[in-house]
Amino acid sequence: MDGLFKNYFDKYRNNGILPPEIAGKVEGRLFEDAEKLKQWQNRSKGLQAEFPEFNILLKGLIDDLLVTSDNKYIPFDFKSRGYPIKENTHNFYQNQLDLYALLFEKNDLPSANFGYLLFFYPTNYNQGAAEFKTELVKMGVSHRRAYEILKKVHQIISGPKPASDRECIYCQYRNRV
């Protein structure tokens, strides 16, 4: 689905306008460098940055991005699901948007302090065509919060192996193997 949404947005990008799903609802314009965006969306390249202090290479595949009038970068991600979003659905994607903001900063692309999620979900199916509804959610982002995530990841992977738990099926399997 993401590929379909990306192609759809590219048609509007090529014409220098916003798609109707977000026109008048977002700050900024679509990122104009389609070739650079394709690199950042490509699994073999992506948008990446090294964090030698944690021995981590962070890589993200951005769906799209917007740029503010003062040239700050806004992460924009598509989310497809089979049903309408719940009140807190967007909260599950906070880390993802924060990490995109950190990747922007590490690549000398100043990040805005917010990002967007565009949820797509089907509302009807008729003769081979699905109809979708969209819900746009604006969220605050923080590259500092993302840096703290990397710090915690480093502490976990470089720390001692956690003890097994008798109730944990994975631990039981790990202990047998």
Side-chain angles (χ1 to χ4, degrees):
M1 293 301 294
D2 276 3
L4 293 174
F5 302 143
K6 289 173 186 173
N7 290 337
Y8 175 76
F9 268 57
D10 284 345
K11 290 176 186 174
Y12 287 91
R13 182 184 335 280
N14 294 338
N15 291 317
I17 58 175
L18 294 172
E21 291 82 1
I22 64 171
K25 301 175 186 173
V26 298
E27 295 179 46
R29 64 189 184 282
L30 289 174
F31 181 68
E32 291 141 355
D33 189 340
E35 286 303 311
K36 180 62 81 177
L37 182 60
K38 290 290 180 214
Q39 288 177 10
W40 292 341
Q41 294 171 335
N42 185 301
R43 289 193 188 280
S44 64
K45 177 85 171 119
L47 183 61
Q48 54 189 342
E50 289 191 34
F51 296 84
E53 65 272 35
F54 303 131
N55 195 25
I56 290 176
L57 171 66
L58 180 63
K59 185 173 170 182
L61 303 177
I62 189 100
D63 284 346
D64 214 313
L65 78 134
L66 302 170
V67 183
T68 64
S69 59
D70 60 347
N71 292 318
K72 292 196 175 167
Y73 293 80
I74 305 166
F76 191 95
D77 205 70
F78 305 120
K79 299 295 179 197
S80 54
R81 33 194 308 115
Y83 45 87
I85 66 172
K86 297 177 182 162
E87 186 176 316
N88 67 343
T89 299
H90 61 282
N91 294 336
F92 294 102
Y93 303 102
Q94 184 68 65
N95 291 346
Q96 180 185 12
L97 291 182
D98 287 344
L99 289 164
Y100 284 143
L102 181 60
L103 283 170
F104 293 161
E105 292 291 332
K106 283 291 272 191
N107 282 279
D108 296 320
L109 304 167
S111 172
N113 62 358
F114 61 94
Y116 292 102
L117 299 173
L118 183 59
F119 290 90
F120 290 83
Y121 58 90
T123 57
N124 192 25
Y125 181 80
N126 187 14
Q127 298 178 353
E131 296 173 17
F132 286 86
K133 181 171 171 52
T134 59
E135 289 190 45
L136 181 68
V137 178
K138 181 179 181 179
M139 297 177 62
V141 300
S142 167
H143 64 275
R144 288 180 181 86
R145 205 168 35 222
Y147 189 82
E148 291 301 315
I149 291 169
L150 294 186
K151 188 188 289 187
K152 287 178 187 175
V153 167
H154 176 71
Q155 290 169 347
I156 291 168
I157 61 176
S158 63
K161 180 178 168 182
S164 294
D165 184 306
R166 289 181 210 189
E167 306 288 320
C168 173
I169 293 172
Y170 173 76
C171 292
Q172 292 170 17
Y173 172 79
R174 183 181 72 181
N175 290 337
R176 282 189 220 143
V177 176

